[in-house]
Amino acid sequence: MKRVTCIGLIVLCWWAGLSEASRLGNPAANLERNQIAVGSEYTFMKKDIEQGNTTVEMEAQRIFGKVSYGILNWLEAFGKVGGSNVDAKGPFEGDFGLAFGGGLKMTVFRQEINDDIAWKLGLLGQYTHYESKDSIVVSGTSFNDEVTIHEWDGVAGISYHYKTASYYVGGYLNHIDGSEDIQAGLFGGTTTTGVDFEEDNIFGIV
């Protein structure tokens, strides 16, 4: 009997939807060898980030153009590029900056029931980089604030395929870290301060 150990909680998801399920997608490879797929991706994220001894609520919107390529029938690579903005509780409300990423999908087991129905056990790993900037003036002092974020995801799940529809059960492991660089204009000069941060909870739900 084959078993899949999922990190986090296990739920049943629909293939589409603006949620973690649509952000990560079905972890199994879906393209045939040498097949190419082009699409778009929009995600909204809301997480608590640890910045020193402080926990900050962060929100981010990300829009990507995405290209996927079937390396083998069971292995798929993808890349994406676009823009993102980041808002944090406080004065930081970032504009849209560069965002890009990529990853791999792998089908480690496949069972075809008939021409329309199949089961797959899949694994997915991806990396996403995104940036956002903000400029504000406080009491006559100008501040240029830039946030850079690195995000890693790992997913394991079993998917059920019926014709063009997909359902899956699984869980994912997520990690975020990054930096905030604040440049302040003081007395005709500038002073730069850097602060590192990371996510305080790396487990998630699909």
Side-chain angles (χ1 to χ4, degrees), residues 26-121:
N26 190 325
N30 292 302
L31 297 179
E32 301 291 335
R33 183 178 179 181
N34 295 328
Q35 188 177 3
I36 297 175
V38 179
S40 61
E41 178 182 304
Y42 168 82
T43 62
F44 174 80
M45 181 189 70
K46 184 175 182 179
K47 292 182 180 291
D48 291 331
I49 301 296
E50 287 189 354
Q51 191 173 46
N53 296 322
T54 304
T55 299
V56 178
E57 184 180 283
M58 183 182 73
E59 296 180 353
Q61 297 184 79
R62 293 163 294 184
I63 301 173
F64 297 101
K66 185 176 181 180
V67 178
S68 302
Y69 175 72
I71 301 173
L72 299 167
N73 290 340
W74 52 269
L75 183 62
E76 178 181 323
F78 60 90
K80 52 188 180 180
V81 63
S84 69
N85 77 321
V86 177
D87 293 336
K89 280 197 171 180
F92 186 85
E93 295 182 1
D95 57 7
F96 267 83
L98 175 66
F100 61 87
L104 293 172
K105 291 183 175 186
M106 179 185 299
T107 300
V108 296
F109 176 79
R110 177 186 174 97
Q111 178 65 54
E112 292 188 0
I113 307 302
N114 54 44
D115 291 340
D116 294 329
I117 300 175
W119 291 91
K120 293 181 181 180
L121 169 60

